[in-house]
Amino acid sequence: TQLLEQSPQFLSIQEGENLTVYCNSSSVFSSLQWYRQEPGEGPVLLVTVVTGGEVKKLKRLTFQFGDARKDSSLHITAAQPGDTGLYLCAGARGSNYKLTFGKGTLLTVNP
Amino acid sequence: GAGVSQSPSNKVTEKGKDVELRCDPISGHTALYWYRQSLGQGLEFLIYFQGNSAPDKSGLPSDRFSAERTGGSVSTLTIQRTQQEDSAVYLCASTPRLGRGNTDTQYFGPGTRLTVL
């Protein structure tokens, strides 16, 4: 059973387009993180959201945590080739140190 | 660099051989994690260390997998009698674990790509 479902699994767009990727679960998470992973490297943390309904912005990236803390979205405005990578969401439950990762969304932004 | 380092970066081995994968966490980070990332899969938790102890080994797939950490620093993941299904990227991450809670940033190494022929 995959606790965190990410969609779409693959996304290929042109430079300048907007996109949204989703991270959904039937479970409640106390916090949720988004990571980006480039080929040959480990994931790098982009953001942590902890409050239901929270919205965080990181330049052209907007992250939202659902009101019920079961889902999250990542919206990228005016995508650039440098945004290409695997986007992973990861949730933590209660005081558990263990993160549960989704399978990721592989984004390709074509120039 | 002051990041997490892993060695080797690539390892090709024959089925049935033993392999050792090494992780050097960021200096001062007390918590250390091992994950496995297979093609098309997310990160699969293997084991968690707090200092030298491993309070959670629940993700180790079988008794062929073991890990240790010495001096609260370097960790080694050992896979005995490797099988083809062990082929994956093995990632290590460390966190400072400065206090209670679960929103620590995990700093990942670049991973070791293991191929079992």
Side-chain angles (χ1 to χ4, degrees), chain A residues 20-37:
Chain A
T20 302
V21 298
Y22 300 93
C23 177
N24 296 304
S25 176
S26 58
S27 301
V28 175
F29 291 95
S30 55
S31 66
L32 197 136
Q33 298 180 323
W34 284 91
Y35 290 80
R36 181 170 69 206
Q37 184 178 21

